[in-house]
């Protein structure tokens, strides 16, 4: 990538596949963005770019790159495939560009400690990286398995589809209450129906919601 290509990319602004960071301090936060790209559709992380699209660059890029590579190796599991490059600016500063393809071995996690609660998956939602819910993680796992998903169309599924005939969406908690079933069962049912291409999941910072897949 050259300087002109960088400027054109920055003009697009942050989005599902593009994130700006002004500095490389707090590398664990940058790792979160990398994990989110790998778990979603891939993307490009530009370090040395302000939220206002200003091209500030990094003054000590060798040190920044070294710390980031160490952080990616330390905090990401399983290991993530990525590519680094530098774009020189006119004032002896550089922008660090991290290319992250969509991963075939989702989900990836940021691990900041030895406990289960220290292990978190992230996904990209619009221009933000948000923590993946249990349902999203299960769907990411299920998408790796190349087999036909089968399910039994029973009372709870019938209740679900009747609700979606009258309303645009449903949440796990709403489905559990509506069908009078445990939340775990509601969660498992919705995940299965997403993997069977009957429903779509819409991740959200607050709560995920599910809709009927168009054409189903």
């Amino acid at each position: 990538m050259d300087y002109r290509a960088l400027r054109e990319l920055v003009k697009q602004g942050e989005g599902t596949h593009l994130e700006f960071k002004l500095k490389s301090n707090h590398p664990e936060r940058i790792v979160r963005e990398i994990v989110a790209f790998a778990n979603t559709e891939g993307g490009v992380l530009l370090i040395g770019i302000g939220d206002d699209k200003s091209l500030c660059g990094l003054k000590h890029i060798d040190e920044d790159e070294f710390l980031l590579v160490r952080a990616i190796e330390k905090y990401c599991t399983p290991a993530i495939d990525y590519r680094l490059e530098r774009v020189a600016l006119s004032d002896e500063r550089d922008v660090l560009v991290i290319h992250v393809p969509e991963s075939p071995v989702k989900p990836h996690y940021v691990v900041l400690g030895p406990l289960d609660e220290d292990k978190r998956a992230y996904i990209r939602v619009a221009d933000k990286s948000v923590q993946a819910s249990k349902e999203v993680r299960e769907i990411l796992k299920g998408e790796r398995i190349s087999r036909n998903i089968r399910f039994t169309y029973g009372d709870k599924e019938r209740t679900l589809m009747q609700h979606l005939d009258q309303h645009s969406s449903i949440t796990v908690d709403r489905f559990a209450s509506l069908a009078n079933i445990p939340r775990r069962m509601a969660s498992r049912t919705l995940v299965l129906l997403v993997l069977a291409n009957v429903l779509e999941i819409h991740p959200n910072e607050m709560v995920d919601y599910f809709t009927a897949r168009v054409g189903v």
Side-chain angles (χ1 to χ4, degrees), residues 170-189:
I170 196 167
T171 65
V172 174
D173 289 335
R174 177 60 178 149
F175 177 39
S177 174
L178 199 64
N180 194 26
I181 57 176
R183 191 188 190 282
R184 181 178 297 181
M185 182 181 293
S187 172
R188 187 165 59 245
T189 301

Side-chain angles (χ1 to χ4, degrees), residues 105-125:
V105 290
K106 308 171 187 176
H108 294 270
Y109 296 87
V110 178
V111 181
L112 298 177
L115 303 177
D116 285 344
E117 53 263 36
D118 297 325
K119 180 180 176 182
R120 299 176 182 176
Y122 293 87
I123 57 170
R124 197 73 179 167
V125 178

